[in-house]
Amino acid sequence: MRMSQIVAVLVLLAEIVYSAAIESKWSPAFYSRYTFSNYEQFQPMRDRIEPAKLDLPLLNAAIFFETNRIRAAHKIPEVQYSPALEAAAYEHSVDMGKRHYLNHYTKPFPGDSSDLPRGPGERMEKYGIEVFGTKAENLATIPIGKHTYASWAKDVVSRWMKSRGHRSNILRHAGGKESDSLDNTRGNINFLGVACAPRIDKNRKVSYLYATQNFAHMAGKDIDSYRIMGYEPAR
């Protein structure tokens, strides 16, 4: 097979992986329609994850609501959805998925001394999060397995809760003060953006997903995160 033919096949396979999920069943407007207590009533949340038909915004939402479920159980105010933080999280998840690493700092490209590693704070600042203020990030990569969207979200959040650092980020509020003293100062975690991306191996097989949670005290820029992720929201 000629090199040009090989490239064409690889491009076609890449399109198959991503194009089937262009139209999401989820919409940013649904974040105000559902809560952690009823989001699983939305039928697609109970659908089994199919690697060839990944609906990443749907999975992002499931993790968001499971995070709020944990916060509510600990009597901590729920976080609000931030498209800017979702975009920042997606930028990192998709890079990790393409280049196969797991780190809070962006992996430099080989031989490029100008491409310095960027941390979560720098990525969030790109999307309008103030330099001074509380920010936090959780990362994970786990198999898709036979999960539904909701069950995969429960799995990843439960794993984070078993890790001291990740748990601290999920339960962070008001600088560690009692939740009834929470206000809108820079010391609080008020907003969350979650984004997942597939890990595609050399055989173009998707069996693992990366997940990034970005927390901050503010929402950031008013942007269209779905356009950045390459999805059309449900209508």
Side-chain angles (χ1 to χ4, degrees), residues 42-235:
F42 185 64
Q43 175 58 49
M45 289 291 184
R46 305 195 297 275
D47 290 345
R48 183 170 171 176
I49 300 174
E50 297 182 44
K53 298 180 180 180
L54 284 172
D55 190 334
L56 297 178
L58 185 67
L59 193 56
N60 300 346
I63 297 173
F64 175 91
F65 287 120
E66 284 303 319
T67 302
N68 270 337
R69 185 193 302 279
I70 296 295
R71 288 176 67 91
H74 287 79
K75 302 187 185 306
I76 298 171
E78 297 173 37
V79 287
Q80 299 176 54
Y81 166 65
S82 164
L85 291 173
E86 182 176 42
Y90 177 74
E91 177 182 313
H92 197 46
S93 283
V94 76
D95 186 59
M96 291 189 294
K98 287 180 178 178
R99 298 200 283 153
H100 301 180
Y101 70 98
L102 185 69
N103 197 299
H104 291 289
Y105 286 86
T106 304
K107 182 180 179 180
F109 285 92
D112 186 356
S113 59
S114 65
D115 183 34
L116 299 176
R118 290 191 301 145
E122 293 166 290
R123 290 192 298 273
M124 290 186 226
E125 288 159 20
K126 173 182 174 181
Y127 292 97
I129 306 301
E130 293 176 351
V131 175
F132 300 104
T134 303
K135 306 179 189 74
E137 179 175 86
N138 283 342
L139 305 177
T141 179
I142 64 173
I144 295 174
K146 297 181 179 180
H147 279 296
T148 66
Y149 284 85
S151 70
W152 196 89
K154 292 175 189 290
D155 188 8
V156 71
V157 172
S158 69
R159 291 173 188 239
W160 278 327
M161 288 299 291
K162 294 174 183 177
S163 163
R164 182 176 179 180
H166 297 98
R167 176 188 174 93
S168 175
N169 288 338
I170 289 173
L171 299 181
R172 186 174 297 185
H173 66 99
K177 299 177 182 178
E178 294 297 321
S179 59
D180 61 4
S181 66
L182 186 67
D183 57 28
N184 292 319
T185 66
R186 290 177 174 172
N188 302 330
I189 288 294
N190 299 320
F191 295 90
L192 169 63
V194 182
C196 299
R199 183 187 191 278
I200 305 175
D201 66 22
K202 62 182 179 181
N203 297 316
R204 310 303 297 175
K205 181 180 179 181
V206 177
S207 57
Y208 277 74
L209 294 172
Y210 282 87
T212 301
Q213 285 185 311
N214 280 167
F215 300 87
H217 66 289
M218 62 183 296
K221 295 179 181 178
D222 183 12
I223 63 171
D224 183 354
S225 60
Y226 275 55
R227 180 183 59 80
I228 292 172
M229 294 188 291
Y231 282 86
E232 288 289 335
R235 300 183 184 279

